[in-house]
């Protein structure tokens, strides 16, 4: 079953990179774009969510609602920061940086909050990630990106990685503590995301209509691909060990850079690809430390 698990993660990596390429194509979409594709995503998982809710029930409704609401806030921070970042910098800068920063922050949180002490391999992994970040963000006057765009890319990549870490740690704690199905928890978060973002998105309804009219394809693609990538990884984790799945997930960085080259025509990709590989190597070291 391990080969099937790796294959599923590879498909999820393509889906994850794909929806990020679509989001970058609507880099000026802001909260309105996020709200529209969140509606699509929540409707997509609605039938399964209702079935699971009916089958499993909710033992402690107030605690579940609180956990879902806080999780939705963390997830919204991730998605909105991602959209704002894509308005300021290249996908080939932000995507690998945010992917590398998330495990880096997770290790830091484990050390500070849980008192864990990473081994020598983990410490080397931290340094390798930092080196990869420097390679990706290095400025070249002959390149296509300005120095300001690079600075924005590093800043938003760091913030997105931090938001992703907070969301992941909260989700893990909430699912483990409440005994909820991960899919049911994800569905609840999707519904809360739509509700929480609605007041912001609906303040400019003409803009929402323009986004839907001109970017309907991207809204639908992101709305379908984002939950699809998440659910596929959940299934993969059920049939293959984490030690196999975690490294395979880093394939999404490669696919994101391929997408940036093919569909977004971004430049300086050779150096950024090297930097992304270095970041990925550091992440793998952190994974096995």
């Amino acid at each position: 079953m391990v080969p099937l698990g790796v294959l599923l993660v590879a498909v999820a990596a393509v889906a994850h990179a794909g929806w990020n390429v679509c989001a970058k194509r609507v880099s000026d979409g802001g909260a309105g774009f996020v709200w529209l594709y969140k509606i699509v995503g929540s409707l997509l998982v609605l039938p399964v969510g209702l079935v699971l809710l009916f089958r499993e029930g909710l033992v402690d409704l107030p605690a579940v609602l609180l956990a879902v609401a806080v999780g939705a806030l963390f997830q919204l921070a991730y998605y909105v920061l991602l959209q704002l970042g894509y308005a300021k910098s290249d996908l080939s800068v932000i995507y690998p940086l945010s992917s590398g920063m998330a495990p880096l922050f997770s290790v830091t949180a484990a050390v500070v909050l849980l008192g864990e002490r990473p081994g020598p391999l983990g410490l080397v992994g931290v340094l390798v990630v930092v080196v990869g970040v420097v390679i990706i963000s290095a400025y070249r006057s002959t390149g296509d990106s300005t120095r300001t765009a690079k600075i924005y890319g590093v800043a938003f990549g760091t913030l997105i990685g931090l938001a992703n870490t907070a969301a992941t740690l909260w989700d893990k704690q909430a699912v483990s503590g409440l005994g909820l199905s991960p899919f049911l928890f994800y569905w609840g978060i999707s519904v809360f995301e739509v509700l929480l973002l609605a007041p912001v998105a609906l303040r400019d309804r003409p803009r929402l209509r323009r986004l839907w009219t001109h970017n309907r394809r991207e809204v639908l693609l992101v709305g379908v691909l984002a939950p699809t990538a998440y659910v596929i990884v959940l299934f993969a984790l059920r049939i293959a060990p984490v030690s196999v799945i975690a490294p395979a997930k880093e394939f999404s960085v490669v696919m994101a850079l391929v997408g940036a080259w093919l569909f977004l025509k971004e430049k300086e990709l050779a150096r950024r690809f090297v930097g992304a590989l270095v970041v990925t190597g550091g992440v793998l070291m952190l994974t096995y430390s």
Side-chain angles (χ1 to χ4, degrees):
M1 299 297 282
V2 170
L4 177 59
V6 173
L7 177 61
L8 287 175
V9 172
V11 173
V14 173
H16 194 275
W19 78 253
N20 273 267
V21 170
C22 291
K24 172 60 179 174
R25 289 171 65 92
V26 195
S27 56
D28 60 343
F33 178 67
V34 175
W35 187 67
L36 287 173
Y37 72 67
K38 281 298 174 181
I39 291 176
V40 174
S42 62
L43 291 175
L44 181 67
V45 299
L46 176 62
V48 180
L50 289 176
V51 169
L52 289 175
L53 182 62
F54 178 77
R55 189 181 70 182
E56 299 185 9
L58 295 176
V59 178
D60 190 351
L61 183 59
V64 170
L65 290 177
L66 177 62
V68 168
V70 175
L73 287 173
F74 283 138
Q75 291 284 358
L76 278 181
Y78 167 76
Y79 285 110
V80 172
L81 282 170
L82 190 70
Q83 206 60 39
L84 293 175
Y86 284 156
K88 297 290 188 180
S89 189
D90 291 342
L91 179 143
S92 55
V93 173
I94 289 178
Y95 192 99
L97 289 186
S98 59
S99 298
M101 288 297 183
L104 188 61
F105 285 132
S106 296
V107 171
T108 303
V111 171
V112 175
L113 301 178
L114 304 178
E116 296 182 5
R117 292 294 178 265
L121 185 61
L123 296 176
V124 173
V126 171
L127 293 176
V128 170
V129 169
V130 172
V131 170
V133 169
V134 172
I135 294 173
I136 293 171
S137 58
Y139 175 71
R140 289 179 58 193
S141 59
T142 57
D144 187 58
S145 300
T146 64
R147 186 186 299 272
T148 302
K150 295 285 182 61
I151 294 173
Y152 274 123
V154 174
F156 274 102
T158 302
L159 290 174
I160 293 164
L162 182 59
N164 190 22
T165 301
T168 301
L169 293 175
W170 178 264
D171 291 354
K172 181 178 179 181
Q173 182 63 32
V175 170
S176 300
L178 297 174
L180 281 176
S181 160
F183 191 95
L184 183 59
F185 186 67
Y186 175 79
W187 173 65
I189 283 179
S190 297
V191 173
F192 263 77
E193 285 173 335
V194 173
L195 296 176
L196 290 172
L197 202 55
V200 178
L202 291 173
R203 283 188 302 185
D204 193 348
R205 299 191 182 191
R207 186 167 184 271
L208 275 179
R209 286 192 290 269
R210 288 195 301 272
L211 279 170
W212 176 249
T213 300
H214 298 296
N215 305 108
R216 185 176 307 169
R217 180 179 62 181
E218 286 79 8
V219 169
L220 294 174
L221 283 173
V222 177
V224 171
L225 290 176
T228 297
Y230 177 85
V231 172
I232 289 176
V233 171
L234 287 182
F235 279 108
L237 286 169
R238 296 182 65 177
I239 62 176
V242 175
S243 60
V244 173
I245 299 302
K249 285 176 63 179
E250 298 306 316
F251 180 61
S252 65
V253 175
V254 177
M255 297 310 301
L257 292 178
V258 171
W261 171 56
L262 288 177
F263 302 107
L264 304 175
K265 309 303 180 186
E266 293 184 2
K267 308 297 182 183
E268 303 182 59
L269 284 181
R271 176 171 49 79
R272 293 176 185 176
F273 185 78
V274 172
L277 290 179
V278 173
V279 169
T280 300
V283 170
L284 296 180
M285 291 179 186
L286 291 171
T287 302
Y288 292 112
S289 63

